[in-house]
Amino acid sequence: MNKTDEMNDQVWNMINKEKQKDKFLKTVSAVAWGVTLLVLITFGVYTWMDFSRTLRLYNNGMMRFENVISTTIPFLIILGSISLLMAILATIGRFLRLRTTSLLELQQRLANLEKLIVNKD
């Protein structure tokens, strides 16, 4: 094997390692989002139970309507925060992955061009 083939193999090994890292990150991300959604749904159920209880008290004239609405505010704050965090991280992640992939592809194409030029000579 000549030096160009070795460099080509090294580049392909790097690309394969990056793909393995991507698979691992996808798995970790899926599990983390699954747990987050489970916790969010559980919190939503508890919020709904509290909301329905305070709504019944409001309908019986024992509580003001502002108190009924205030039971949903913590859930809405958490839901909004998670949505904002997800949007920011997804945007940053997409940008970084696109840049990394593009650089590796460019490096591989340059290695292939170098190999073609060396073989022609």
Side-chain angles (χ1 to χ4, degrees):
M1 241 203 245
N2 61 21
K3 189 172 182 172
T4 308
D5 289 336
E6 289 176 16
M7 287 176 49
N8 195 19
D9 289 342
Q10 287 176 351
V11 171
W12 280 113
N13 286 336
M14 280 186 0
I15 290 172
N16 288 333
K17 284 180 184 179
E18 287 297 318
K19 285 182 181 181
Q20 288 175 348
K21 286 179 186 178
D22 285 343
K23 282 183 184 180
F24 178 73
L25 287 175
K26 270 187 188 178
T27 303
V28 169
S29 178
V31 169
W33 281 115
V35 170
T36 301
L37 289 175
L38 180 67
V39 169
L40 188 63
I41 289 170
T42 303
F43 186 59
V45 167
Y46 285 130
T47 301
W48 179 256
M49 289 170 34
D50 194 31
F51 175 77
S52 62
R53 182 182 57 83
T54 54
L55 187 61
R56 279 194 308 270
L57 290 173
Y58 169 74
N59 288 336
N60 292 334
M62 301 174 143
M63 191 171 283
R64 297 181 329 173
F65 188 70
E66 292 83 21
N67 294 349
V68 176
I69 296 300
S70 68
T71 59
T72 61
I73 290 176
F75 180 74
L76 295 175
I77 290 171
I78 289 175
L79 185 63
S81 298
I82 288 174
S83 297
L84 178 64
L85 179 66
M86 187 168 77
I88 291 169
L89 291 176
T91 302
I92 292 171
R94 281 186 61 209
F95 178 77
L96 290 176
R97 292 308 310 160
L98 287 174
R99 294 298 175 233
T100 303
T101 302
S102 296
L103 289 174
L104 287 174
E105 287 176 6
L106 285 172
Q107 187 177 9
Q108 180 58 38
R109 288 180 183 173
L110 288 173
N112 287 338
L113 285 173
E114 183 181 351
K115 185 178 178 181
L116 285 173
I117 291 171
V118 169
N119 287 339
K120 283 184 181 181
D121 289 340

